[in-house]
Amino acid sequence: EFAFGTNPVTSTPGSLQYNGTFAGGGAIAATGQPVTAVENPLSGPVYRALFVRRKDFATAGLTYTVKFTEDLQGWTPNGAVPAVLADDGVHQIVSVPFPTFLDGKTTRIFKVEVTVAP
């Protein structure tokens, strides 16, 4: 709840809502659970994992790790540096690109793991 900016007394936090493009400059309409987003440029669809991150994540000791899978069996961490798409002063909407393939299969599933430094 703390890491994704959701309300701990709400049983259904909902999904984040971002009104902008992958180029950034949009606004955070609502914090919430991570989502898959797609844009359709002329060269074909581009998929990105979007999630809410606290702006003070480093000071708070939080580490966000995005992992992808094609079959829910094995998870592969993404080494890409998250791109900040929006910032409201407390939270950020950030994104990382989906890898095109993992083990020869199309990748469309991700999760965000959050760890806290001791």
Side-chain angles (χ1 to χ4, degrees), residues 4-23:
F4 294 114
T6 58
N7 186 343
V9 298
T10 303
S11 62
T12 55
S15 297
L16 71 85
Q17 295 177 15
Y18 165 68
N19 36 1
T21 67
F22 291 165

Side-chain angles (χ1 to χ4, degrees), residues 1 3-4 9 11 19 21 23 32 34 60 71 78 84-85 99 101 107 116:
E1 306 290 343
F4 294 114
V9 298
S11 62
N19 36 1
T21 67
D71 60 8
N78 184 303
V84 177
L85 303 180
F101 297 101
T107 307
V116 180

Side-chain angles (χ1 to χ4, degrees), residues 1-6 32 51-55 57 62-64 91-92 113-116:
E1 306 290 343
F2 178 74
F4 294 114
T6 58
F51 62 97
V52 175
R53 176 176 74 182
R54 293 187 58 83
K55 187 171 183 169
F57 71 96
L62 300 174
T63 301
Y64 297 78
H91 299 101
Q92 299 173 322
E113 292 180 355
V114 180
T115 55
V116 180

Side-chain angles (χ1 to χ4, degrees), residues 42-58:
L42 297 176
S43 61
V46 174
Y47 294 89
R48 295 187 73 87
L50 274 62
F51 62 97
V52 175
R53 176 176 74 182
R54 293 187 58 83
K55 187 171 183 169
D56 66 352
F57 71 96

